[in-house]
Amino acid sequence: MKERVIGGFFVFLLTLIMLLPGGMISAIVLGVISIRGMYEFCRVYKLEKSVLAYISYIATSIFYIMLYYNQTQFLFPFVLLFLMILLSVYVFTFPKFKDKDIAAVFFGFMYVTVLLSYVFRVRSLTMGIFLAFFILISSWGNDVFAYFVGSAIGKHKFSPKVSPKKSVEGFFGGIAGAALVGYLYALIISRFVSGSELNALYCAVIAALGAIPSVIGDLAASAIKRNNEIKDYGKLIPGHGGILDRFDSVIFTAPIIYYLVVLFQLI
């Protein structure tokens, strides 16, 4: 329990540093988190010290630099270039790497770097300092409500082969809880922050819809661990595991929140 408390404080502090400052500091912190996440992901496939992994670390750094300078029109071409470089290494070092190694590193880049970068995109929006917390409400808020509802009344297994403890009741309880917190959060921000008028109903819907992929993100990370017979992605955070163990739901939620905020015209 002591380790989990210490780890929880570390995650809380890291999250504040990631979200509150904005600009360059948020970009750097998220870039470092993404590089660490890539390291953990590559380690699953025993590639963390390979040239493929180092290319992905460099590519992650460049990706965040482009985001910071708002060069979004070059992001897709850059991802294509990244894939071509990986394939070039595959060809010129053949047969050192297998095709599945290239697939794993490229998938890891899309899964960790690209999806997690949406946290920075949300933070960069108008009122981003407030909107970014919807990512946490939909992911970690959902986790809390799902746990308590599932513990209290959970009887039907949601995904028994991936996560036996998750229940259907907890799934819907987490969504409802996220919606409630999103609604109350919008009311508080609109009441006490000058110039911010968030539509509480829209915010509740956004938080609820964002909670759905957070569950999938959590289960996807668990499925990868089960496929590769590992308990945790790392030991960076005491009592919690690695970056991917703690941010697995955030990775899936961030892009959804970004596009929902744009769709509902909250900015």
Side-chain angles (χ1 to χ4, degrees):
M1 179 59 71
K2 182 180 178 181
E3 279 193 345
R4 287 194 64 84
V5 172
I6 295 174
F9 177 76
F10 172 78
V11 173
F12 175 73
L13 184 62
L14 182 62
T15 302
L16 290 182
I17 297 173
M18 178 177 71
L19 296 181
L20 292 182
M24 181 177 293
I25 295 178
S26 291
I28 291 173
V29 173
L30 274 163
V32 171
I33 290 174
S34 296
I35 291 173
R36 173 66 192 192
M38 278 301 305
Y39 174 84
E40 293 175 358
F41 190 87
C42 289
R43 187 165 58 182
V44 172
Y45 302 96
K46 298 179 175 57
L47 294 168
E48 74 276 13
K49 295 182 180 179
S50 69
V51 63
L52 298 177
Y54 283 111
I55 290 172
S56 75
Y57 306 152
I58 295 171
T60 296
S61 301
I62 296 173
F63 193 86
Y64 274 93
I65 291 172
M66 294 170 68
L67 270 181
Y68 174 71
Y69 286 104
N70 199 31
Q71 299 300 308
T72 54
Q73 71 272 25
F74 297 116
L75 292 182
F76 182 68
F78 178 74
V79 170
L80 295 181
L81 176 62
F82 172 66
L83 176 59
M84 292 177 183
I85 292 174
L86 291 180
L87 289 172
S88 297
V89 173
Y90 173 55
V91 169
F92 290 113
T93 62
F94 190 85
K96 182 177 181 179
F97 297 109
K98 306 297 183 183
D99 53 353
K100 62 182 180 180
D101 297 329
I102 306 300
V105 174
F106 183 72
F107 170 72
F109 182 80
M110 298 298 295
Y111 173 59
V112 179
T113 300
V114 175
L115 294 188
L116 196 56
S117 73
Y118 278 89
V119 175
F120 181 75
R121 294 193 185 196
V122 174
R123 180 61 184 84
S124 299
L125 295 172
T126 303
M127 293 179 60
I129 191 171
F130 303 115
L131 297 174
F133 281 94
F134 278 102
I135 299 172
L136 305 184
I137 292 171
S138 293
S139 53
W140 297 344
N142 168 71
D143 286 345
V144 171
F145 280 93
Y147 172 78
F148 284 112
V149 172
S151 298
I153 61 172
K155 294 181 179 180
H156 302 87
K157 300 298 183 182
F158 183 75
S159 182
K161 293 185 178 180
V162 178
S163 184
K165 293 182 179 181
K166 290 188 182 298
S167 66
V168 174
E169 293 82 359
F171 172 73
F172 287 107
I175 294 173
L180 176 62
V181 175
Y183 183 85
L184 295 175
Y185 176 75
L187 290 180
I188 293 171
I189 294 300
S190 298
R191 174 68 177 82
F192 294 101
V193 178
S194 177
S196 61
E197 296 182 359
L198 295 176
N199 186 305
L201 181 59
Y202 283 179
C203 290
V205 172
I206 288 173
L209 292 177
I212 298 173
S214 79
V215 177
I216 304 301
D218 185 17
L219 291 173
S222 297
I224 293 172
K225 287 189 288 186
R226 286 185 178 274
N227 273 160
N228 293 277
E229 299 180 345
I230 60 174
K231 183 178 183 297
D232 294 314
Y233 282 102
K235 299 180 180 179
L236 179 66
I237 308 171
H240 293 262
I243 286 293
L244 294 182
D245 293 294
R246 187 64 272 176
F247 287 87
D248 50 4
S249 57
V250 171
I251 287 174
F252 262 54
T253 304
I256 302 300
I257 294 297
Y258 175 83
Y259 289 113
L260 286 174
V261 165
V262 175
L263 177 65
F264 282 91
Q265 297 181 346
L266 292 185
I267 55 174

